[in-house]
Amino acid sequence: MSAGPAMLAAGALLALGVGATMLAGRLRVPGLVLFLALGMLIGSDGLGLIEFGASRSDIELARTLGVIALALILFEGGLAAGWREIRPVLPTGLALATVGTFLTAAITGLAAHLLLRIGLLEGLLLGAVMSTTDTAAVFSVLRGSSLRRRLARTLEAEAGFNDPLAILLVIGFIEWIRRPGYGLDDMVVLLVRQLTIGGAVGLVTGLLAVRALEPLRLPSLGLYPVASVATCGIAFGAADVSHGSGFLAVYLAGLTLGSAAIPGRRTIEAFHAGVAWVCQIALFLLLGLLVFPSRLGDVAVDGLIVTAVLVLVARPLAALVCTLPARYSARETLLLGWAGLRGALPVVFATFPVLEGVAGAERFFDIVFFTVLVSTLVQGITFEPLARALGLTSKEPALPRPLVEVGTIRRLGAEVLEFPVRAGDAAVGRLVRELGLPRDALVSVIVRGDQALLPRGSTEIAAGDRLHILVRRDHRQLVEDLFERWRRGPLGDDAQRRRGPLLGRAAIFSVKPWRPEWGDPGEPQMIDGLEVVRVLRTRHGAPGALVQLADGRLAATGEGRVAIGGPRQLLRYARDRIRNAPDEQTRSWWQEVAGVATQSAVL
């Protein structure tokens, strides 16, 4: 296939994946089920639009792409969580990922041996393939859930840590079947070596990445995701070539990177969230293409038996054993037992015995796919309703959302702009209130080094600051027009740059109606024939400002009038306005005026 049709097909499939995600939300079904169904529909045994899955090379390609996709999904999961979120539930998460995985594999494998009448090792291999909860499935369900944070983080930690162990069990049982001299002691050595090397490589890679990125200031924000992808690739590759667990390495590297105050963190997290979605959509579509739906009827009975044992016996028992030391309630244990979601990972693992030539592996693959489809559909649909019925949901999302969700802000008619302050800019050394922002814009956060500052009007801007400006969409161009002045100047005229003390002596005080010839009361230039030399405060939500006039007096504009006088006089006026304020917004404004007047009266 040439480049053009290939790009068209890839774009169309991703677009269908996005559409399936939206449809899944409306139908209250897991999106991955629709991705799998879409893959089966367009595959060789469906409409035949894409011929895939019949040859060994197709299966090898699916396994390779599946491993890469799962590595990126695991890295994003660790990046989004960080050690701070995982640490409180780490003992239970590790118990579910280790003891829970062993118990699930053993119980499911023994049941398959007895009920499906297959060899013991073959049954244990099937149990090992089905023992892991799927990272993509768990993260996908939790993103739309309101499950209590403790339970969500427990499931997240388990999903991140159990993948390496499950794949090692699969590899170990395949070797045991293929090599008569292979035994339990060899599996133990394999597990210890892979987990030890993978863990060490992941932690070292993550720490080195943090040390490299923390002082780094790249010329473009787009380079930070490149560095994070490099971290993911190095962690997985270095662990794999060292005969360690690449899956464990990428998850630990992601956790370490997600716990550090690195520059460009929001950009990195947003990029990897998008990459994880692309990987999920592509992976489930690809696995759907591998399946021949006409063969699923032949394994339906066996698949239902495995599903029943897995969902109703093995997983609940494993959850009960692993949560007893941590004092989880019966309701929490019940939900954790029901939340062992299967997804792409068991299907990817099922390709390993096929490629290694294990007898009956093709039937294993079909049974695994059928089990994944049924268990994911049933558990995915009922998970959130069961959590609500058990009283285990909250008003907060299961996984915290970013501090600033630009998409949500845009839907509300606003924008977030960022202005990096360079050495030599006209804005350096100026106060926030001197930037000349319109009243429908404000500096919401100043990022200075590794800290986020909540600015006031008196906050002085320094070189290296990054100003995050919240502005209504219809005022965006006005703010962007200011950027050049912040770079080169001037920021107001020379009179505005004077910072002499405000008038503290007695002065003539007057309250006058606002005249149209004075212009906008929110951005006054002249008032009653006197020049405005300093803008001290700008009122938000309504036209108004607090300014200093050329004769040293203060003037408070807005509400159709202007009050002019010395600080003490204006303070008395502001207190009267506070007592008679018709709403909280007006009261807050006059409290701000009173605060400035109080400070000025002391000077």
Side-chain angles (χ1 to χ4, degrees):
M1 184 183 292
S2 61
M7 291 288 289
L8 177 61
L13 288 175
L14 288 176
L16 287 172
V18 173
T21 303
M22 298 175 65
L23 179 62
R26 294 192 176 188
L27 297 178
R28 302 295 182 186
V29 299
L32 58 89
V33 174
L34 296 187
F35 302 153
L36 289 171
L38 181 60
M40 290 189 290
L41 177 65
I42 63 178
S44 304
D45 204 26
L47 299 177
L49 300 179
I50 299 178
E51 295 294 331
F52 189 83
S55 67
R56 179 183 177 85
S57 60
D58 290 342
I59 299 175
E60 288 180 342
L61 177 62
R63 183 176 70 173
T64 301
L65 295 178
V67 168
I68 294 172
L70 290 168
L72 288 167
I73 292 170
L74 269 173
F75 184 78
E76 190 272 336
L79 190 68
W83 284 110
R84 181 177 299 176
E85 293 285 347
I86 292 294
R87 190 175 293 113
V89 298
L90 190 58
T92 304
L94 285 175
L96 286 168
T98 53
V99 177
T101 299
F102 278 122
L103 285 176
T104 303
I107 294 171
T108 306
L110 288 173
H113 166 61
L114 296 173
L115 300 176
L116 304 187
R117 300 184 182 278
I118 59 178
L120 177 59
L121 289 178
E122 286 77 7
L124 291 173
L125 172 60
L126 180 60
V129 169
M130 297 303 307
S131 64
T132 179
T133 58
D134 184 68
T135 310
V138 170
F139 290 174
S140 176
V141 169
L142 291 181
R143 284 190 183 98
S145 171
S146 57
L147 183 66
R148 287 181 185 174
R149 188 68 57 81
R150 180 194 187 203
L151 294 175
R153 287 308 186 192
T154 302
L155 292 172
E156 195 176 9
E158 178 199 7
F161 284 113
N162 70 357
D163 297 350
L165 184 61
I167 194 172
L168 293 177
L169 289 176
V170 171
I171 294 172
F173 281 119
I174 289 175
E175 290 299 308
W176 204 339
I177 292 171
R178 293 177 65 244
R179 294 166 49 190
Y182 197 89
L184 183 60
D185 55 338
D186 298 295
M187 284 191 66
V188 172
V189 171
L190 174 70
L191 291 173
V192 172
R193 185 185 71 240
Q194 290 262 335
L195 295 178
T196 302
I197 295 175
V201 170
L203 290 173
V204 170
T205 303
L207 290 172
L208 289 177
V210 170
R211 293 287 298 273
L213 284 172
E214 279 182 335
L216 199 60
R217 294 296 180 267
L218 295 174
S220 170
L221 281 175
L223 288 174
Y224 289 104
V226 176
S228 62
V229 171
T231 302
C232 177
I234 291 172
F236 187 93
D240 191 64
V241 299
S242 303
H243 305 290
S245 172
F247 287 135
L248 180 60
V250 293
Y251 187 63
L252 291 177
L255 278 174
T256 305
L257 203 62
S259 305
I262 55 175
R265 178 167 175 171
R266 265 181 51 197
T267 302
I268 291 173
E269 290 178 344
F271 171 81
H272 280 281
V275 168
W277 271 111
V278 171
C279 289
Q280 289 181 45
I281 293 172
L283 179 57
F284 286 108
L285 284 173
L286 184 66
L287 296 178
L289 291 173
L290 273 183
V291 175
F292 288 79
S294 59
R295 300 198 316 229
L296 295 181
D298 298 334
V299 299
V301 174
D302 291 348
L304 288 174
I305 291 173
V306 173
T307 303
V309 172
L310 180 67
V311 173
L312 301 178
V313 181
R315 170 66 186 188
L317 184 58
L320 177 61
V321 171
C322 295
T323 55
L324 280 177
R327 298 181 180 178
Y328 281 70
S329 68
R331 291 178 296 123
E332 291 174 326
T333 300
L334 175 63
L335 187 66
L336 290 174
W338 188 249
L341 299 174
R342 269 65 195 171
L345 205 57
V347 182
V348 173
F349 288 174
T351 63
F352 283 67
V354 174
L355 292 173
E356 295 298 331
V358 175
E362 290 80 5
R363 183 174 180 80
F364 272 22
F365 181 87
D366 292 337
I367 291 174
V368 168
F369 188 89
F370 185 91
T371 302
V372 165
L373 197 60
V374 173
S375 65
T376 302
L377 189 62
V378 172
Q379 292 172 282
I381 290 176
T382 58
F383 174 75
E384 186 72 12
L386 178 61
R388 288 197 298 268
L390 294 174
L392 298 176
T393 57
S394 66
K395 295 180 180 180
E396 297 294 325
L399 301 184
R401 299 188 177 99
L403 179 63
V404 178
E405 290 194 77
V406 176
T408 302
I409 290 174
R410 285 176 178 165
R411 286 195 297 272
L412 297 174
E415 299 276 356
V416 176
L417 306 179
E418 186 179 47
F419 180 81
V421 182
R422 304 169 187 165
D425 283 354
V428 174
R430 305 304 295 266
L431 307 183
V432 168
R433 61 174 174 252
E434 294 176 333
L435 293 176
L437 285 169
R439 62 173 173 266
D440 286 321
L442 58 87
V443 180
S444 57
V445 176
I446 296 178
V447 178
R448 181 171 295 169
D450 295 333
Q451 294 183 326
L453 307 179
L454 301 180
R456 300 180 181 274
S458 58
T459 302
E460 186 171 305
I461 297 166
D465 287 351
R466 305 190 75 87
L467 311 183
H468 293 260
I469 302 141
L470 182 63
V471 57
R472 287 190 57 81
R473 187 176 299 154
D474 51 358
H475 284 70
R476 172 175 181 156
Q477 191 58 50
L478 292 174
V479 175
E480 290 182 335
D481 290 342
L482 288 171
F483 286 177
E484 184 63 23
R485 289 170 53 191
W486 295 355
R487 291 274 184 230
R488 305 181 185 277
L491 292 184
D493 56 28
D494 291 338
Q496 282 182 299
R497 294 180 64 90
R498 293 195 298 267
R499 297 188 185 176
L502 299 179
L503 183 66
R505 59 179 171 79
I508 299 174
F509 179 77
S510 62
V511 178
K512 302 179 180 181
W514 185 260
R515 297 181 181 177
E517 60 266 26
W518 295 342
D520 185 352
E523 300 177 0
Q525 302 297 320
M526 298 283 292
I527 298 177
D528 200 20
L530 294 170
E531 183 182 7
V532 173
V533 296
R534 291 176 65 189
V535 178
L536 302 174
R537 292 288 188 275
T538 301
R539 183 173 180 174
H540 296 284
L546 177 63
V547 301
Q548 183 185 10
L549 302 178
D551 64 357
R553 290 184 297 169
L554 300 178
T557 69
E559 302 175 1
R561 62 176 71 88
V562 57
I564 305 173
R568 292 183 177 84
Q569 296 166 324
L570 197 62
L571 175 59
R572 289 193 292 270
Y573 179 76
R575 286 173 175 169
D576 181 66
R577 301 299 299 166
I578 291 169
R579 285 193 296 270
N580 298 300
D583 53 58
E584 189 60 36
Q585 186 180 51
T586 303
R587 182 178 295 106
S588 297
W589 163 243
W590 287 108
Q591 286 172 342
E592 189 173 358
V593 171
V596 175
T598 300
Q599 294 174 2
S600 303
V602 176
L603 296 175

